[in-house]
Amino acid sequence: MRFFAFFIFLLFVSTACSTTTVYIVRHAEKLNETDTTDLTPAGYARAAALAETLADRGIDSIFSTPYYRTRQTAQALAKQIGVPVTDYPAKPTEAIVNRVNAIRHKTVLVVGHSNTILEIARGLGAKPAMTKIESGDFDNLFRLRIHHGPFRRSVTFLPSTYGQPTAP
């Protein structure tokens, strides 16, 4: 009987533990401020750099707002690894936060906007030191590791950059 109880305990602990990795980026450089704008040539180069950076990271899901610039940013990676891009609404950010929080044992890319990516990171439990993404800042790559243990959840936030550095 003790062996059975121990086995059930081990099964509970192993199924209750998981780590999800979430990469969050802002869309790449855009032509203008309209909702239907495309990426600039520099933006397409950045999208290719994102694909190169994340191609071997085991991305299982790619989420993008429905705007051209976010979808175009995700598309090079999606095509390279054969994962479809799934739309999510830009606001409220709780929609994507809740969706990502429900994912376990996966690696996810979320492509958002300058006014949403920090909010998404905070919603997932990260504590970024940055308070704002500037309008000309396109090279941030945030990695969150969300570990769900049997009794607690922890989040590790690792900011970095990718592609050509944007001007300070």
Side-chain angles (χ1 to χ4, degrees):
M1 185 64 175
R2 286 184 183 170
F3 177 76
F4 181 73
F6 182 70
F7 176 76
I8 295 298
F9 174 76
L10 286 178
L11 186 62
F12 167 75
V13 169
S14 67
T15 58
C17 295
S18 69
T19 299
T20 302
T21 301
V22 182
Y23 292 94
I24 305 172
V25 297
R26 178 194 182 184
H27 60 77
E29 290 87 339
K30 57 189 177 175
L31 287 172
N32 58 49
E33 297 299 319
T34 64
D35 287 345
T36 58
T37 190
D38 289 318
L39 296 180
T40 64
Y44 281 109
R46 184 169 306 283
L50 180 65
E52 183 179 318
T53 301
L54 297 181
D56 64 350
R57 303 288 175 96
I59 302 289
D60 300 293
S61 302
I62 300 173
F63 296 101
S64 167
T65 62
Y67 300 100
Y68 292 154
R69 60 190 178 269
T70 52
R71 290 190 61 78
Q72 290 168 340
T73 301
Q75 200 57 49
L77 176 64
K79 184 176 180 180
Q80 184 172 341
I81 64 174
V83 173
V85 178
T86 303
D87 285 350
Y88 73 90
K91 289 286 187 166
T93 56
E94 289 80 21
I96 191 63
V97 167
N98 291 340
R99 192 164 192 179
V100 170
N101 270 328
I103 296 172
R104 299 286 191 275
H105 301 288
K106 302 286 183 183
T107 302
V108 175
L109 169 64
V110 177
V111 183
H113 303 270
S114 62
N115 63 343
T116 65
I117 63 172
L118 288 171
E119 192 176 325
I120 292 166
R122 286 186 195 100
L124 292 169
K127 295 180 180 14
M130 301 173 79
T131 58
K132 181 181 178 185
I133 303 294
E134 297 299 330
S135 64
D137 191 356
F138 296 97
D139 64 353
N140 290 297
L141 174 63
F142 302 145
R143 184 177 77 173
L144 286 73
R145 288 237 147 142
I146 305 169
H147 179 74
H148 296 272
F151 306 108
R152 72 180 201 103
R153 177 180 187 266
S154 63
V155 177
T156 305
F157 179 71
L158 300 164
S160 63
T161 59
Y162 74 101
Q164 288 294 317
T166 53

